[in-house]
Amino acid sequence: MSATVVLVPILISAWPTLAASVVSVAASAGFTVVLDKNVARKSRRTVEIDMENMEAVGEALSHDDKIVVERAGARVTFSRDARGRFRTCVDGELDEDELRKIGEDLAGRVIQQYLYRRLTQELSDSGFVTLEEDKAADETIRLHVRRHQD
Amino acid sequence: MESHDLEIEITKDGKVRAKVVGAKGKGCLDYVKLLEQIVGKVQAQELTSEYYEPDSRVQIDTAVRGKQQQ
């Protein structure tokens, strides 16, 4: 081994790319996409999840810049604000800690999925071949790639 | 011909830990730079004995950042 690094993600992505990761991860976690995104709901708590270093870029805001998914009393809204920041809000009748846990878990998985796609694509473009990949019990994705150098 | 390996872990909260294996000398830092361009910023880095051996020759097209918004 010649170096070990720990990296924290800085994601600057087109909204459609992030949206694809959101839909994919939400479906695999048992959430369904809410089609009528603007229906207000009464008597519900709302928690905003801190999403540092994430920006969703695009030419202009549109009605599609929001995805709402729902599971067992918790509704998670992924959106980008006017400044392009990627936002995650959770609302529901559960207590605040439970809502935060649901939101952080789902947002983390979205980032994980996004990074997996990006790493495999970019490393492949840089000449790496995937030797092995798996998912550990704690849901960490492990990826082993190799490239030959003359 | 040398083999250079990357062993990468992506945790479920979106952190990335990577080991560069087989690239000797400062050549391994080219891979660290590549990972930085793909993922984000380096939070911690540890160099091991191979880093202090004569350099591996590494050529990487590092035009990754420009493709990020696609």
Side-chain angles (χ1 to χ4, degrees), chain B residues 14-46:
Chain B
K15 287 216 170 59
V16 175
R17 180 184 169 87
K19 290 179 190 173
V20 182
V21 182
K24 296 180 177 66
K26 293 190 173 70
C28 78
L29 295 182
D30 290 326
Y31 291 116
V32 173
K33 188 184 285 184
L34 175 66
L35 289 166
E36 202 172 358
Q37 286 173 331
I38 297 171
V39 175
K41 61 185 175 192
V42 172
Q43 189 178 56
Q45 176 172 301
E46 184 184 336

Side-chain angles (χ1 to χ4, degrees), chain A residues 83-124:
Chain A
R83 291 186 301 168
R85 280 183 57 86
F86 186 65
R87 300 179 64 202
T88 303
C89 287
V90 194
D91 71 275
E93 287 160 7
L94 303 170
D95 69 40
E96 196 174 314
D97 286 346
E98 285 177 290
L99 291 174
R100 185 173 300 282
K101 188 167 180 296
I102 289 167
E104 286 176 347
D105 180 64
L106 199 57
R109 288 167 191 259
V110 168
I111 298 168
Q112 184 192 41
Q113 176 70 18
Y114 175 86
L115 288 173
Y116 168 75
R117 288 183 182 189
R118 187 160 161 70
L119 276 162
T120 50
Q121 181 62 55
E122 297 295 350
L123 291 175
S124 170

Side-chain angles (χ1 to χ4, degrees), chain A residues 1-27:
Chain A
M1 188 190 344
S2 43
T4 301
V5 288
V6 177
L7 301 117
V8 289
I10 298 173
L11 308 187
I12 301 171
S13 172
W15 172 256
T17 308
L18 271 178
S21 293
V22 169
V23 171
S24 161
V25 167

Side-chain angles (χ1 to χ4, degrees), chain A residues 33-51:
Chain A
V33 175
V34 176
L35 297 176
D36 190 354
K37 305 171 211 176
N38 297 314
V39 173
R41 306 177 84 185
K42 294 177 185 171
S43 307
R44 292 167 71 94
R45 290 178 193 85
T46 301
V47 174
E48 174 142 7
I49 309 301
D50 187 23
M51 305 285 285

